[in-house]
Amino acid sequence: MNLREYQARWAQALLGEGPSPPAMLDTEQARNRLDIYRNHYVLSLVEALQATYPQVWRYLGQQRFVDLARRHAIQHSPRSGCLTHYGETFPDSLRTALKEEESWVCTLAELEWRVERAALALAPTAFPFADLARLAEEDYARIILTPADGVQSLIASYPVATAYDRLFAGQLPDPPAPGIECLVIYPQREGVGITQLSPQAWAVLAMAFEGRPLDDIDGGLTDLHCDALLMLVQLGVLAGFRLQAHARSVVRD
Amino acid sequence: MTPNDYIGVGLRIPHHDYFLADPGAIAWMEVHSENYFEDARLRAELLQIRAHAGLSLHGTGLSLGSVDPLDLKHMRRLRKLAEDTDPDRISEHLSWSSFNGQHFNDLLPLPYTEEALTHFAKRVDQVQQFLGRQILIENPSTYLEAEVSQLTEWDFLAALPALTGCGLLLDLNNLYVGSLNHGYDCDTYLQALDVQTVGEIHLAGFHMREMGNDRVFIDTHGAPVAAPVWDLYRAFLDRHGARPTLIEWDTDLPSPQRLLAEADKAVACLPLAIAEVSS
């Protein structure tokens, strides 16, 4: 048996895909010892999911969470030797496993994933506000904003930010009714901030993520968008800006 | 060097605040490299601690023994972490962890064959070239042995420094646990190694599990160092002199004070060994 065959058999045995353990392990003692490795594999991934989804875990309770996480872990092996980004598709696994009335928990999980991503980044340094203040008003349309490191956004199909806050405070929330909530999730000096955005702020943030000038906002740049821009700066969601090099000539009918 | 200079502890995330407040509490610390690849906050804290303490980067995710290609992204992140932190040592394991791109998040036992040795040595060499420095390879803790093995674990491990110029990380707890699980003799194992290549020693705790008629000793890193492991440590020091030594405690994490008290026990083993090396 060469090294590739040996590792293939081990992989099958760990994933429970082989009809029997690898031939070289075919004793009762070996099968029991193989279970140590099998259990460690699954349990370590369950622990990784618990660390990434603490509020989902809190809401579902230990046993239900572990059952769902085990199912996910068996079906989704890590693709890297670093588990920091393991579990991105866990909300999808929840969606297929939970009943309709609990589908808001999948949205909660989508939020938690983004909270954990934002938590990996350092709080941004100060936005160059003085540079912004020096701009002439007609230049605002040429602004291309840069999001701060780690900033995430979510169009949530349930208003889960309040439920998240309650769970974070150790309280069980009432299940929210469906409703769209546009959220920005961003690193702060201590922890992570979650803020619901107005349509104008969402439009400004979308331009930043897409690297497009504010002039590209549907319907054009308004005072409400400028207010939203200042609000995003204050939150620490934006790291900086540049000006589009050349104004495009726009033909309007 | 004083005895204290040789002894380090594993820096685990719940202990960051303690060691940020008192980074001189221990001469050096070991971290699991992967925990600091992506997390900019943890990395910033590590850099603060590093300014006052030695550092050993201990990896668990390179999967050196796997037939999968080496993970270039993983190696780049390790190299960046090493550039940022300038560690005293970098280490990995004599094991494999992935197959067909699936990672099993564990240090799985290799078959000790000539093919595996050639493969493993080639990979160690590639990693060392990529990092531009020597790495240490740690003897594993295993519960199963492959019947296809042609070499003993100690002969396999002993061959690596000569083939690659790597060093060895001697985990005396793994050695002891392996001797209980597989029935080999610790002295035979140690005598096979070129001890001059041992760049770091690990001490940790283990647990025993009854499985039917079988008793399995599991390297949990969740208990104080066991008396027989201390005996192995003292014997190594007496024969070969002092090495940087880590108290490794990963599960059921104790308070930093308790961890440091365990480190003090290692310090207490050292003076005689240092005197012998100096004379």
Side-chain angles (χ1 to χ4, degrees):
Chain A
M1 183 185 299
N2 65 27
L3 187 58
R4 178 171 295 280
E5 290 165 343
Y6 170 88
Q7 292 181 354
R9 288 193 181 196
W10 256 93
Q12 286 176 343
L14 287 171
L15 295 168
E17 292 170 353
S20 62
M24 74 275 191
L25 308 172
D26 203 9
T27 65
E28 184 184 347
Q29 184 195 57
R31 281 191 290 272
N32 286 338
R33 290 186 175 201
L34 182 68
D35 279 343
I36 296 173
Y37 289 102
R38 267 200 195 114
N39 289 337
H40 177 268
Y41 167 55
V42 175
L43 285 178
S44 69
L45 298 184
V46 168
E47 284 172 7
L49 291 171
Q50 280 179 328
T52 300
Y53 296 99
Q55 309 315 332
V56 172
W57 172 29
R58 194 164 289 166
Y59 182 77
L60 292 175
Q62 171 75 7
Q63 194 54 54
R64 279 189 80 199
F65 184 92
V66 168
D67 289 346
L68 291 162
R70 282 184 70 92
R71 199 181 308 175
H72 179 85
I74 290 165
Q75 291 170 353
H76 300 86
S77 299
R79 309 303 292 183
S80 156
C82 175
L83 286 186
T84 305
H85 295 307
Y86 178 71
E88 183 172 12
T89 58
F90 187 54
D92 299 330
S93 294
L94 291 177
R95 195 164 282 115
T96 60
L98 295 177
K99 293 175 184 164
E100 176 73 26
E101 58 267 29
E102 285 185 316
S103 56
W104 72 275
V105 179
C106 310
T107 309
L108 176 68
E110 290 173 339
L111 173 59
E112 280 216 279
W113 174 259
R114 287 161 175 79
V115 168
E116 292 299 313
R117 296 317 95 192
L120 296 173
L122 291 170
T125 51
F127 184 89
F129 200 78
D131 295 344
L132 185 70
R134 276 196 290 272
L135 285 185
E137 201 174 326
E138 57 268 27
D139 286 334
Y140 272 44
R142 294 169 54 214
I143 289 175
I144 299 175
L145 296 159
T146 308
D149 282 351
V151 171
Q152 310 283 315
S153 63
L154 175 66
I155 301 176
S157 45
Y158 287 86
V160 288
T162 304
Y164 178 90
D165 286 342
R166 287 183 68 88
L167 283 160
F168 193 83
Q171 301 163 342
L172 274 184
D174 295 327
I180 297 296
E181 194 173 56
C182 295
L183 300 173
V184 62
I185 304 105
Y186 47 97
Q188 294 179 302
R189 204 155 298 283
E190 296 290 334
V192 169
I194 303 171
T195 298
Q196 186 175 353
L197 297 183
S198 67
Q200 291 78 21
W202 185 261
V204 170
L205 186 62
M207 292 300 107
F209 276 127
E210 293 169 22
R212 294 163 59 192
L214 296 181
D215 196 32
D216 282 0
I217 290 174
D218 279 349
L221 186 65
T222 67
D223 286 348
L224 286 175
H225 291 113
C226 292
D227 292 345
L229 165 60
L230 295 182
M231 186 272 287
L232 292 172
V233 167
Q234 283 189 341
L235 288 178
V237 166
L238 300 172
F241 72 93
R242 59 190 167 89
L243 291 180
Q244 190 182 35
H246 302 289
R248 290 171 292 185
S249 57
V250 179
V251 178
R252 297 186 194 278
D253 292 329
Chain B
M1 283 175 79
T2 70
N4 285 302
D5 294 329
Y6 284 95
I7 307 303
V9 296
L11 174 64
R12 302 300 174 251
I13 293 163
H15 290 167
H16 267 223
D17 286 345
Y18 180 90
F19 287 109
L20 279 166
D22 188 8
I26 190 85
W28 65 274
M29 297 193 201
E30 171 253 31
V31 298
H32 291 164
S33 311
E34 288 80 5
N35 289 343
Y36 298 85
F37 280 178
E38 300 272 346
D39 194 321
R41 295 185 194 215
L42 287 183
R43 199 175 182 120
E45 292 175 359
L46 177 62
L47 286 170
Q48 284 184 54
I49 294 169
R50 171 65 178 122
H52 302 275
L55 181 67
S56 181
L57 296 181
H58 192 43
T60 58
L62 259 181
S63 193
L64 284 173
S66 171
V67 292
D68 280 355
L70 279 169
D71 184 340
L72 192 59
K73 187 176 173 189
H74 194 105
M75 292 203 296
R76 280 202 188 109
R77 291 191 288 188
L78 177 59
R79 185 168 64 186
K80 180 69 170 70
L81 180 64
E83 285 168 358
D84 288 353
T85 59
D86 188 23
D88 300 303
R89 294 171 297 282
I90 298 178
S91 54
E92 254 291 349
H93 294 83
L94 179 61
S95 63
W96 66 283
S97 307
S98 65
F99 184 76
N100 269 355
Q102 292 182 302
H103 283 255
F104 298 106
N105 197 35
D106 204 347
L107 304 167
L108 301 169
L110 278 166
Y112 299 125
T113 62
E114 292 293 345
E115 180 205 7
L117 177 60
T118 303
H119 177 73
F120 196 89
K122 188 171 114 188
R123 308 257 286 194
V124 169
D125 183 52
Q126 288 170 342
V127 170
Q128 289 185 140
Q129 288 193 45
F130 190 87
L131 297 176
R133 59 182 292 165
Q134 183 195 54
I135 62 172
L136 308 179
I137 298 298
E138 178 179 342
N139 58 304
S141 163
T142 60
Y143 317 113
L144 284 169
E145 290 178 303
E147 287 184 359
V148 294
S149 289
Q150 302 155 334
L151 304 167
T152 60
E153 182 177 301
W154 48 92
D155 286 335
F156 192 102
L157 190 67
L160 290 172
L163 289 171
T164 69
C166 75
L168 297 181
L169 192 167
L170 178 60
D171 188 317
L172 291 173
N173 184 58
N174 288 355
L175 174 67
Y176 183 67
V177 164
S179 75
L180 296 176
N181 286 332
H182 306 306
Y184 60 65
D185 176 58
C186 291
D187 281 340
T188 303
Y189 196 121
L190 287 171
Q191 282 167 15
L193 306 181
D194 175 2
V195 293
Q196 295 307 312
T197 64
V198 174
E200 186 173 318
I201 292 176
H202 282 189
L203 305 173
F206 65 89
H207 286 95
M208 189 270 286
R209 189 188 295 176
E210 303 261 8
M211 302 179 82
N213 295 325
D214 191 19
R215 300 170 85 194
V216 187
F217 297 83
I218 300 177
D219 171 41
T220 55
H221 296 182
V225 179
V229 177
W230 284 120
D231 291 343
L232 282 171
Y233 184 52
R234 288 189 202 93
F236 183 95
L237 295 175
D238 286 346
R239 284 179 206 158
H240 309 298
R243 297 289 190 285
T245 300
L246 174 75
I247 301 296
E248 207 174 19
W249 204 321
D250 295 312
T251 59
D252 292 328
L253 200 62
S255 68
Q257 293 85 351
R258 174 71 187 84
L259 183 64
L260 291 169
E262 198 73 357
D264 284 342
K265 291 187 201 171
V267 172
C269 297
L270 275 164
L272 180 60
I274 291 173
E276 284 184 356
V277 167
S278 306
S279 60

